[in-house]
């Protein structure tokens, strides 16, 4: 039995419960808007999902630290918004009583919700047990009904031991062709990995966990036939550099652009092959919550994840990946080939 069996169960259930809230926020608040004001749907989804997940983590592991994306000061200054979010939080519960009980049940009141959100204030680091949480990764994807992910990872002494991604708009079918399209039945998947134990996927449910099955990256025998995943937003990754890398590798298929760590999950199960996130600014530092879960899931599925210089991502330096620039994720057998071209393009050779 895994030494992280309990942590994995709680992480899976906590992420699953949080996706119920994000889906409700989208269907009741998010139609036809890209607003980022205080009352914007993404604000409600971020705060609500963070409160639910941190509440579950604290109930089970009260001495663990949590690095979360949000903090509650703006909600304390806006009680009406806080009450609006709490109304969603208290309604978001798993239909299976035993599963809900494992998470500690509903958040008791608005003040408890605010306290849970603020408990995500850890500075991170390389000592002890620290959870990294992104309650809604892929803000614009979430708002337009595209790909987004609820992301949770556990680090112990700076090393990722466990990662979970909840992707409500990805197909359940691991064999489904990689596509940016969203819609239709059979969507909603939970990816997970424990260090040294492989990666899994399972359908998202509204109650107890569905059964998981192992996933693995696709063997790439011919790099020219590989499929790229990249970010939708040009501000997140250099599309021009990526196009040049694809050209030099002989890849002619169009890249598939999607938001969030859904890209990590997609390549981990073989729906895509390569994920590049190339630096757009020299001073930009990636946030650990944007990569921690996906990094482990891809590596446990047989992939390699490094930065654009070939260094492993270092999650033990605080809230950002201070020592890394960019991300290159690929099957182990071709990672070195891809990385070589990445270095050439980024250096202008």
């Amino acid at each position: 039995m895994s030494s992280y069996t309990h942590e994995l169960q709680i992480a899976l259930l906590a992420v699953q419960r949080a996706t119920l809230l994000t889906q409700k926020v989208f269907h009741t608040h998010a139609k036809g808007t890209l607003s980022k004001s205080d009352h914007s749907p993404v604000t409600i989804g971020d705060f609500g999902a963070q409160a639910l997940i941190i509440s579950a983590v604290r109930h089970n592991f009260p001495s663990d630290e949590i690095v979360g994306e949000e903090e509650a000061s703006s909600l304390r200054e806006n009680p009406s918004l806080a009450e609006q979010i709490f109304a969603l939080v208290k309604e978001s519960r798993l239909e299976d009583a035993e599963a809900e009980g494992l998470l500690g049940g509903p958040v008791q009141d608005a003040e408890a919700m605010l306290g849970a959100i603020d408990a995500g204030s850890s500075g991170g680091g390389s000592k002890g047990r620290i959870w990294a949480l992104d309650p809604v990764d892929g803000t614009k994807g979430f708002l337009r009904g595209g790909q987004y992910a609820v992301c949770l990872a556990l680090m112990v002494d700076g090393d990722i031991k466990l990662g979970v991604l909840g992707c409500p708009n990805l197909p359940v079918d691991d064999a489904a062709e990689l596509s940016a399209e969203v819609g239709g039945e059979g969507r909603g998947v939970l990816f997970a990995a424990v260090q040294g134990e492989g990666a899994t996927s399972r359908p998202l449910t509204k109650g107890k966990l569905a059964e998981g099955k192992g996933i693995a990256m696709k063997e790439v025998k011919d790099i020219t036939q590989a499929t790229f995943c990249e970010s939708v937003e040009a501000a997140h990754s250099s599309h021009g550099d990526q196009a040049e890398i694809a050209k030099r590798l002989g890849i002619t298929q169009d890249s598939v652009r999607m938001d969030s760590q859904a890209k990590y999950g997609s390549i981990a199960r073989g729906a895509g092959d390569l994920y590049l996130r190339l630096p757009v600014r020299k001073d930009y530092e990636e946030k650990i919550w944007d990569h921690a879960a996906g990094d482990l899931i891809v590596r446990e599925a047989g992939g390699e994840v490094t930065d654009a210089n070939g260094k492993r991502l270092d999650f033990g330096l605080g809230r950002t990946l201070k020592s890394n620039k960019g991300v290159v994720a690929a099957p182990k057998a071709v990672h070195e080939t891809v990385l070589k071209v990445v270095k050439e393009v980024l250096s202008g050779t």
Side-chain angles (χ1 to χ4, degrees), residues 133-154:
L133 165 63
D134 192 341
V136 177
D137 180 31
T139 298
K140 291 185 178 177
F142 171 69
L143 284 168
R144 67 170 166 263
Q147 296 304 335
Y148 72 96
V150 178
C151 316
L152 184 62
L154 172 63

Side-chain angles (χ1 to χ4, degrees), residues 196-261:
E197 297 180 17
T200 61
S201 77
R202 72 190 75 216
L204 279 166
T205 76
K206 295 181 178 181
K208 63 183 180 181
L209 294 173
E211 186 149 350
K213 59 181 180 179
I215 56 172
M217 294 195 78
K218 190 168 63 185
E219 185 182 357
V220 178
K221 294 178 180 174
D222 180 357
I223 194 71
T224 67
Q225 300 303 306
T227 302
F228 264 121
C229 283
E230 65 177 334
S231 300
V232 174
E233 302 299 320
H236 293 168
S237 184
S238 174
H239 290 163
D241 287 340
Q242 173 138 326
E244 178 61 23
I245 290 163
K247 180 180 172 184
R248 293 193 190 191
L249 288 169
I251 296 172
T252 55
Q253 293 186 68
D254 289 339
S255 65
V256 176
R257 293 180 180 175
M258 62 173 68
D259 298 278
S260 84
Q261 289 186 66

Side-chain angles (χ1 to χ4, degrees), residues 279-306:
V280 289
R281 296 199 328 261
K282 286 185 177 178
D283 62 342
Y284 183 73
E285 295 180 0
E286 297 280 354
K287 309 298 189 294
I288 65 170
W289 54 75
D290 283 331
H291 299 281
D295 171 273
L296 181 65
I297 289 167
V298 165
R299 289 189 290 109
E300 287 297 321
E304 191 73 59
V305 183
T306 68

